[in-house]
């Protein structure tokens, strides 16, 4: 089990580095700016965002620390498509209007206008689909950037391709 966890952790870290390249973030350890267990993770003070690669689960105490620091956290989790290809899913904890809001089961999506989004799966998500646009290193909630399931699949496929391309640079 430990070998599998170590392997998944390496994949999570690889996905986090790929996402950093795509977004243009400048993450570095900043233990002096973060509290407790998240102080070991890369942080971008300009975006006020911490990037957390995880094999399986959220670090202990993360929710209370995010509530206290009011920063955004992106958890990068390795996953596999139904055809067995490597991909990554994301969980985002974002402080907005005094509340911590969680978005889970997100995939990277490249829109037809080349904007980058984190989106839920409209087929498997029982709630309204959600979308967060990545603009100049910042996240903003927006209307879903697709009009059909086929468009969603195409955008997610493009997101997977870009992540894999960036991950191969390691």
């Amino acid at each position: 089990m430990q070998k599998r966890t170590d392997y998944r952790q390496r994949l999570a870290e690889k996905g986090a580095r790929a996402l950093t390249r795509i977004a243009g973030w400048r993450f570095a350890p900043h233990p002096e700016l973060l509290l407790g267990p998240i102080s070991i993770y890369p942080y971008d003070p300009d975006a006020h965002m911490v990037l957390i690669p995880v094999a399986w689960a959220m670090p202990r105490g993360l929710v209370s620390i995010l509530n206290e620091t009011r920063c955004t956290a992106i958890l990068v989790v390795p996953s596999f498509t139904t055809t067995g290809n490597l991909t990554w899913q994301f969980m985002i904890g974002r402080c907005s209007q005094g509340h911590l809001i969680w978005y889970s089961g997100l995939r990277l999506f490249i829109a037809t206008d080349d904007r980058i989004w984190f989106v839920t799966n409209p087929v498997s998500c029982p709630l309204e689909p959600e979308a967060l646009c990545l603009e100049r290193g910042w996240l903003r909630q927006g209307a879903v950037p697709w009009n059909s399931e086929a468009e969603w699949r195409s955008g997610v496929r493009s997101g997977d391709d870009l992540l894999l391309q960036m991950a191969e640079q390691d």
Side-chain angles (χ1 to χ4, degrees):
M1 182 63 168
Q2 186 59 44
K3 283 185 179 181
R4 188 169 182 211
T5 298
D6 291 346
Y7 173 70
R8 286 184 59 87
Q9 185 62 39
R10 285 192 305 276
L11 289 177
E13 291 166 4
K14 188 175 205 158
R17 288 188 299 273
L19 180 61
T20 299
R21 288 183 191 104
I22 291 166
W25 288 312
R26 288 185 282 225
F27 285 107
H30 286 280
E32 72 283 2
L33 299 176
L34 296 175
L35 304 171
I38 68 168
S39 64
I40 64 169
Y41 296 107
Y43 175 72
D44 183 333
D46 294 331
H48 198 44
M49 188 176 304
V50 63
L51 189 65
I52 304 174
V54 295
W56 302 102
M58 182 182 307
R60 288 186 195 270
L62 180 62
V63 172
S64 61
I65 290 170
L66 292 179
N67 274 321
E68 189 172 336
T69 60
R70 314 304 298 158
C71 74
T72 296
I74 298 181
L75 283 72
V76 182
V77 185
S79 184
F80 293 89
T81 65
T82 55
T83 57
N85 295 318
L86 174 63
T87 188
W88 289 271
Q89 291 196 12
F90 305 92
M91 287 180 61
I92 297 177
R94 188 170 171 244
C95 292
S96 178
Q97 299 176 347
H99 301 284
L100 181 61
I101 302 166
W102 280 101
Y103 304 88
S104 62
L106 300 170
R107 300 282 299 278
L108 198 69
F109 179 97
I110 309 299
T112 55
D113 61 4
D114 290 332
R115 290 193 306 171
I116 298 170
W117 294 79
F118 292 95
V119 300
T120 54
N121 183 333
V123 176
S124 65
C125 182
L127 306 171
E128 282 293 312
E130 301 212 76
L132 296 168
C133 186
L134 179 60
E135 292 182 330
R136 295 182 296 281
W138 291 86
L139 295 172
R140 71 160 181 80
Q141 193 164 6
V144 296
W146 66 84
N147 294 310
S148 68
E149 185 179 333
E151 267 186 46
W152 178 84
R153 288 186 189 287
S154 176
V156 167
R157 194 170 26 258
S158 294
D160 285 349
D161 290 347
L162 183 58
L163 278 167
L164 288 169
Q165 179 186 353
M166 293 295 118
E168 288 173 2
Q169 293 182 12
D170 274 357

